[in-house]
Structure formats: structure tokens, C-alpha cells
Amino acid sequence: MIATHLGNVKYGALTFLKEACTYGIEKQASDVSLWKKVVNEFTYKKDGTNNGWRGEYWGKLMRGACVLQKLTEDDKLYCILEDTVRDIITRADENGRISSYDKGTEYHAWDLWCEKYVMLGLIYFLDICRDEALRIIAVDTVSALADTILAKIGKEEGKTEIYHATDHWCGLNSSSILEPFVLLYDVTKEKKYLDFASYIVESGMASSFDLPKTALEDKLCPYQYPVTKAYEMMSCVEGLLEYSRITNNDRYVEAAKKYAKRIMESDVTVIGSCGCTHELFDNSAVRQTYTKYDGIMQETCVTVTWMKLCSKLLMITGDSIYADEMERSYYNAYLGSLNKQGNSANGALPYDSYAPLLYSSRGRVVGGRQELGDGGIYGCCAAIASLGAGMFAYGAVMSDSDSIYLNFYDTLDARVSFSDGNITVTEKTEYPKEGDVTVSLISDRDCKKTVKVRIPSWCGNAMVSYGGKNNKALSGYFSFEHSFVKNEELIVEISMEMKLKYISSPRNEDDPDSVNFFSLSKGPVVFAVSSDITGDEIGGDIPIDIKLSDDLTAEYTKASAVDCNESLNVTDKNGKEYKLVDYASAGSNWDNGVKAAAWIRQRIL
């Protein structure tokens, strides 16, 4: 198992990966007025009047902000987070319950779901807390809240079964509270919390089917389950992984691996999200070019939770396929959610909620929109989004007891701590604009370690050079042992071929028009049309004429005149040239109705 990267890797410089983290801090996590608004919801208790979920916002925001603070060691941010933790602790009632539902409306709809996020927010804060007295109070607060749940939820007479403590999704949303109960047990070692976690797992986590059993049997894809709500279901599987870690039960790791593999096969789209019908698993691998549906899709909550599930699986299994999935999600669906142009539509929230695949605009709807008691609105996707940036940046370098994993590439430096010393890792690269990376590793003691270099699955040809040796490398981890001598530098050079990749659209038997699209990628980045650059409707209603992929040529433009991260000049069979941009930048000016498409309409000649 790879050690948790929040504990044993400390970053210095970060460039491109840190941009999204800085954005999250400046546009969201440092907003003192926002923290006050979301904490006040636990006094107003408006969720009980409309079965709302305002109570999730604080914990979602806190979880992401704590990861960002851990990464950047931002002192100003820490003070803001400490203040809001002290504030929310005061919102507990006489029994210790912190809820956005009042008495008489508790334990139905989204109440347990919201209390889950309160627990998670406080538990994540423990990882950065600098005040030991406050840490003790925070643990006591989470424990008291957990105890109010234990008194009301369970299989004993007079209690409510956990999957009946909600009106939605056969109880998956309530059962996802498994994760913070396991984490609370890890902190306190109180057996009652592990017993409650065991009860949730043994309950099957849903009223209509047994989620762990169904995942382990591996006969169905998640879109074929009796309940298909993607975000809540993945959250339950995250809890299963934490439970497996605590109980040393590999059965649930195997269930999660099979579950994730099914998602990769059936529901991950070209931009790395899931769900092309609202936020539901729906065989999106096939439905992503379905032209008869024009509703919301590719929810940011789903994107971030998929990244988080893959992060847990990466740490547990050491399988690079999960890093590949995180990378695809990050550079496309995730970065595309950042409202970097400050669009005012939908309350000017810092993150968008849904991502178009066929020709459409961003900023259409605020996911999980609720009116706040102090004025204004917020949404579930905006609240969860900052976690994606911090989690991905942290995953760049990981380690276990005797290995260093180089997962994601950026100009960065990091210090990896081992029991027998520290190794400084420095990367220099223009990735993902190019595939060359130079890595310097220096140990402060003599030691032997294994260096594991991730070669992404999109790369067909790679070379890893070190110590005068040039080695061809296949996708996965290229591994080698090295005996470090104190203060001597090991240079590792990685060269990954970045060819333009043409992807034909999937065939949907219910929609003959679904095959009339293509997508282009280079490395982890998907390129897209954007109407403010390509021109109205090109690649949307007006197809690009091509015969086969060989008839499509492209010139990569490093320094683009357009406002984007990367661009390509693409020439079709007739010699007509189009400028494409990275998907994350496409359609970013949604106030002006700019449209984007990851799947570009084509006329096959």
C-alpha cells in the first residue's frame, strides 16, 4: 500500500498544478463571508422545510480547503479555517447534534448526508490543526455528533435502519456516512464507531440491493444496478475502501477494484467524467455522443468523486491505471469547471456544475442549487470542486516504505520522508504541452530505494534514461532500484511520445447520428471546438469534412494568440484550417453564450 501522500510528502514549488489550487484558495476558501453563511445554515435549519442539502456545503468546502492549506501551508487560510471550525462547534445542540434539519424533520431526506459532511470537515481539519486544545475539542465534537446518530440509527428495536433514514436513492446517500465513521474510529479507537461501520456494510448500504455484494459478484455495470446515482454510490465505495483498510479485509478492496473497472469500461467519457443523463450512471461510454438528449450531464461532483475514488485505489493497489484516470479527469472535465473568466451567470460561483460533450454552452445550471438564509445561492458542485485541485496536486509524488512514485508531471520540488532519511524530488517540464520531463533525486543519507516512473496509458512510445542507461518503457510504472549516496544527484529523463490521437465516436443503436463525431487528444488533453475561436457552429451543426484519420493533420501551437492553455491548428481533407483549443478552455466565456464540443461533428467522405 502506498503511504498516504498527505503525511509523507511536502511540496515546495509547484507551477501548473498549483494554479488551480491557488484559484480555489483565492476564489473560495478565503471567502470569510461564505464560511459564515454556510455555518449559519445550522442555526436557520432551512433544510428541514424543503428537504434541502445546505448542510453539506460547510463540510465539502472544509474538506477541500484543508487539503489546499496542507499543500500550500498558507497561514492566512489556516486562520480562516480555524475560525470557521470554532464557529461550527458552537452550533451543536445540547445533545451534540449539528444539523441543518430541526427536531421533527431529522433523519430523513438529506439529513444524514449533511451530517456526514460535518463529520468529514472536522476530521480533515485535524490533519492541519495547530492548536492541540482545539484538536481535542474537534474530536469531541465529531464524537458527540456521531453518538447522536448511534442513538437513533441502527437495526435495534426502536431505531431506524440507515437506508430508511432518507427518502432518496434507496439509502445510498445516508449509507455513505460509512467513511467518516471509519475515520472517526481511526482517530479515537472507540469500538462503537467501528461496530456502526460494520452495521452499515452488513446492511448492504441500500434497501433495494446489496452494494458490496453486487460489486464483488461483478455481473453488472453500475448503470445496471437498481440505483444509478453516481456520486452517492461512489461515496459508499470510498467508505468500503476505508473500512477494508481498518479491518484488513481485502474482500472489499476487490469489490472496489471490480466496481471501478466496470465504470472505466461503461461510464467514463472522453473528458474523464461519468453520467450523460443528469448525474446518473447510464452507459456514458456509449451515450456520450447521443444526440437526442439535450439536458445536463457530466456533473462536477461526479468528476471529483471519481478522482477521489481513483486516488484511494491508487494508494491501496499501486496500480497506475488509477493515476491515468485521475489525469484524464483533471486536465479536461475538472479544469473545465473553473470559472476563470468570472462569468456572472448562475450567481457567479467559482465553479461550473456540468460539462458539455456535444455542441453546447457551459454555465447552464447550478448543480444542487439552494438559497442561503443570509442571501445568495450556492451549489453542491461549487462546494466540492476545490478538493479536486488539491488532491490531484498532492498525488504528483507518492511513496511507500521503500519506493518513490512519480505520478503526475509538473515543474515542482518535493521532499519525501522515509524512516531512513529524506529524498528531494525536483521535476522540470512543460507537461502536458510536451512529454519530456527531467527529474532530479537527492537523498540526505545513503539508502536503497525503488523509483517508479508512471508512463501513461495514452503513450505508445516512451524512454526512461538514468545512470547512462536508455530504456524503452511501456505504459504503467517503469521501475528500477537505485542505491543513493548521500547528497549525490540522480537524474532521470523521461521522454513520452505525444502523438495526436483520433477517436471515433461510439455507436449508439438508438441513435444512428451518434457515429458522426470524432474527438482529438494529445497526451492527456482533449481538444475541442469553441465557437468564439472556431466560428459559429463549426464542428457543431456544420461538420468538418474528413475521410479517415489520415486525412486530418494538425500543427501544435505552443504560444497561442487565443485565451487558452493549448491550441491546435487542424486542417481537413479540403485544406480548410480550424483552430481547436484544449477542452478545459473551450466555451469558458459562457456569459456570452460561447459554445464548446469535445465531440466534433464530422462528415465522413
Side-chain angles (χ1 to χ4, degrees):
M1 179 184 293
I2 304 176
T4 172
H5 48 277
L6 297 187
N8 68 337
V9 177
K10 183 176 181 179
Y11 289 93
L14 275 167
T15 54
F16 185 70
L17 295 185
K18 192 176 178 181
E19 287 182 15
C21 298
T22 301
Y23 176 88
I25 292 172
E26 293 178 350
K27 301 298 183 181
Q28 184 181 76
S30 296
D31 186 345
V32 175
S33 65
L34 174 61
W35 288 112
K36 195 68 177 180
K37 284 182 178 182
V38 295
V39 170
N40 282 344
E41 292 302 322
F42 296 97
T43 297
Y44 299 146
K45 298 187 183 299
K46 292 182 65 176
D47 281 339
T49 64
N50 74 334
N51 294 342
W53 46 83
R54 299 167 185 82
E56 73 170 14
Y57 296 156
W58 183 87
K60 281 186 172 181
L61 290 165
M62 193 68 188
R63 186 175 61 176
C66 287
V67 175
L68 293 177
Q69 198 285 326
K70 181 81 172 180
L71 178 75
T72 62
E73 298 186 328
D74 187 312
D75 290 336
K76 179 182 176 182
L77 176 59
Y78 175 80
C79 292
I80 291 171
L81 299 185
E82 182 177 295
D83 286 347
T84 191
V85 165
R86 292 184 185 278
D87 194 4
I88 200 167
I89 287 171
T90 68
R91 309 306 170 108
D93 68 14
E94 66 276 10
N95 297 315
R97 184 167 170 265
I98 302 175
S99 173
S100 54
Y101 284 71
D102 56 12
K103 291 179 180 179
T105 64
E106 70 267 35
Y107 303 127
H108 84 288
W110 296 94
D111 186 18
L112 276 185
W113 172 263
C114 293
E115 291 183 30
K116 172 190 82 170
Y117 277 109
V118 175
M119 293 176 69
L120 283 173
L122 288 169
I123 290 170
Y124 267 69
F125 178 73
L126 299 178
D127 197 41
I128 65 169
C129 185
R130 300 173 181 176
D131 184 325
E132 186 58 31
L134 179 59
R135 177 184 172 83
I136 293 170
I137 294 171
V139 172
D140 289 345
T141 301
V142 180
S143 299
L145 173 55
D147 290 344
T148 66
I149 296 169
L150 295 183
K152 296 291 186 178
I153 307 298
K155 63 182 178 181
E156 296 90 351
E157 185 176 352
K159 294 184 179 181
T160 301
E161 289 275 15
I162 191 162
Y163 44 70
H164 289 151
T166 179
D167 311 307
H168 308 288
W169 309 113
C170 293
L172 285 178
N173 52 333
S174 292
S175 294
S176 69
I177 206 169
L178 171 63
E179 181 185 10
F181 266 93
V182 174
L183 296 177
L184 180 58
Y185 168 75
D186 209 11
V187 171
T188 65
K189 305 306 178 188
E190 289 277 356
K191 185 174 181 293
K192 60 185 175 181
Y193 301 134
L194 182 59
D195 288 344
F196 189 72
S198 298
Y199 153 70
I200 296 173
V201 174
E202 291 163 6
S203 76
M205 310 186 79
S207 60
S208 61
F209 73 112
D210 188 314
L211 174 58
K213 181 181 178 182
T214 303
L216 193 61
E217 287 176 344
D218 197 28
K219 294 179 180 178
L220 301 172
C221 293
Y223 78 89
Q224 298 169 316
Y225 286 11
V227 184
T228 58
K229 190 65 159 60
Y231 167 29
E232 287 79 355
M233 195 189 304
M234 286 192 287
S235 296
C236 287
V237 176
E238 285 186 82
L240 279 177
L241 285 170
E242 292 293 349
Y243 184 73
S244 72
R245 177 179 60 84
I246 290 293
T247 60
N248 292 315
N249 191 333
D250 290 340
R251 177 172 179 263
Y252 297 117
V253 174
E254 191 62 26
K257 287 167 59 179
K258 289 179 177 179
Y259 174 81
K261 186 172 185 292
R262 286 281 187 172
I263 292 176
M264 292 178 204
E265 294 170 348
S266 67
D267 251 282
V268 179
T269 67
V270 68
I271 63 170
S273 189
C274 307
C276 287
T277 307
H278 314 298
E279 309 91 10
L280 309 178
F281 288 127
D282 65 345
N283 198 16
S284 296
V286 172
R287 283 181 57 86
Q288 60 185 312
T289 55
Y290 186 68
T291 63
K292 298 180 181 180
Y293 174 75
D294 189 37
I296 53 177
M297 61 168 63
Q298 304 286 275
E299 188 187 47
T300 301
C301 281
V302 176
T303 301
V304 173
T305 307
W306 172 237
M307 291 171 66
K308 189 165 177 278
L309 176 59
C310 286
S311 178
K312 285 184 183 290
L313 282 166
L314 174 63
M315 287 189 285
I316 290 171
T317 68
D319 189 337
S320 66
I321 188 63
Y322 302 114
D324 291 345
E325 290 295 328
M326 291 174 67
E327 183 178 66
R328 172 163 58 167
S329 300
Y330 178 79
Y331 283 113
N332 299 293
Y334 178 77
L335 289 183
S337 74
L338 274 61
N339 183 10
K340 294 175 72 174
Q341 292 203 18
N343 295 284
S344 60
N346 298 323
L349 299 185
Y351 299 93
D352 195 10
S353 300
Y354 299 95
L357 289 174
L358 299 182
Y359 204 62
S360 185
S361 60
R362 299 185 186 272
R364 296 172 64 184
V365 179
V366 174
R369 182 186 187 277
Q370 294 280 300
E371 294 182 1
L372 301 178
D374 287 336
I377 59 103
Y378 224 72
C380 62
C381 294
I384 199 174
S386 64
L387 175 65
M391 177 177 54
F392 186 76
Y394 259 124
V397 180
M398 292 182 177
S399 67
D400 59 26
S401 60
D402 60 1
S403 300
I404 291 178
Y405 294 75
L406 305 177
N407 289 320
F408 308 127
Y409 302 114
D410 189 19
T411 294
L412 62 81
D413 63 72
R415 187 183 68 186
V416 186
S417 298
F418 295 95
S419 59
D420 55 351
N422 303 307
I423 294 180
T424 300
V425 179
T426 304
E427 294 180 0
K428 293 183 178 180
T429 184
E430 291 295 318
Y431 192 94
K433 295 181 179 180
E434 61 180 42
D436 294 333
V437 186
T438 299
V439 185
S440 165
L441 299 101
I442 302 174
S443 177
D444 62 4
R445 298 185 194 176
D446 293 353
C447 63
K448 179 181 284 189
K449 299 296 176 189
T450 298
V451 179
K452 297 192 174 185
V453 178
R454 184 181 70 93
I455 305 301
S457 56
W458 51 257
C459 181
N461 185 22
M463 295 289 293
V464 177
S465 303
Y466 63 95
K469 301 176 182 178
N470 298 321
N471 306 273
K472 288 186 177 181
L474 302 176
S475 61
Y477 284 115
F478 175 85
S479 302
F480 64 91
E481 284 191 346
H482 182 72
S483 295
F484 286 90
V485 176
K486 180 179 177 180
N487 294 334
E488 284 189 359
E489 183 178 40
L490 170 67
I491 297 293
V492 180
E493 294 183 328
I494 311 163
S495 179
M496 294 169 282
E497 185 178 62
M498 280 190 167
K499 285 187 175 180
L500 191 67
K501 184 178 181 181
Y502 170 92
I503 308 167
S504 297
S505 56
R507 177 179 294 276
N508 188 326
E509 297 300 331
D510 297 329
D511 181 11
D513 193 32
S514 63
V515 299
N516 296 323
F517 298 89
F518 71 96
S519 182
L520 291 176
S521 64
K522 186 180 69 68
V525 176
V526 172
F527 286 86
V529 295
S530 187
S531 63
D532 56 341
I533 297 164
T534 313
D536 291 342
E537 307 301 317
I538 293 297
D541 291 339
I542 301 175
I544 293 177
D545 295 335
I546 65 170
K547 184 177 180 182
L548 293 171
S549 59
D550 289 344
D551 286 329
L552 197 68
T553 61
E555 178 184 349
Y556 173 55
T557 309
K558 285 187 178 180
S560 173
V562 299
D563 185 15
C564 63
N565 296 321
E566 297 184 66
S567 65
L568 285 172
N569 292 325
V570 179
T571 305
D572 70 8
K573 182 179 184 296
N574 300 315
K576 186 173 182 179
E577 187 177 275
Y578 308 92
K579 186 181 289 291
L580 305 182
V581 300
D582 62 289
Y583 176 80
S585 301
S588 57
N589 187 349
W590 67 70
D591 271 357
N592 290 335
V594 174
K595 293 185 176 182
W599 288 104
I600 303 168
R601 185 174 289 275
Q602 64 182 350
R603 181 184 292 115
I604 303 176
L605 302 178

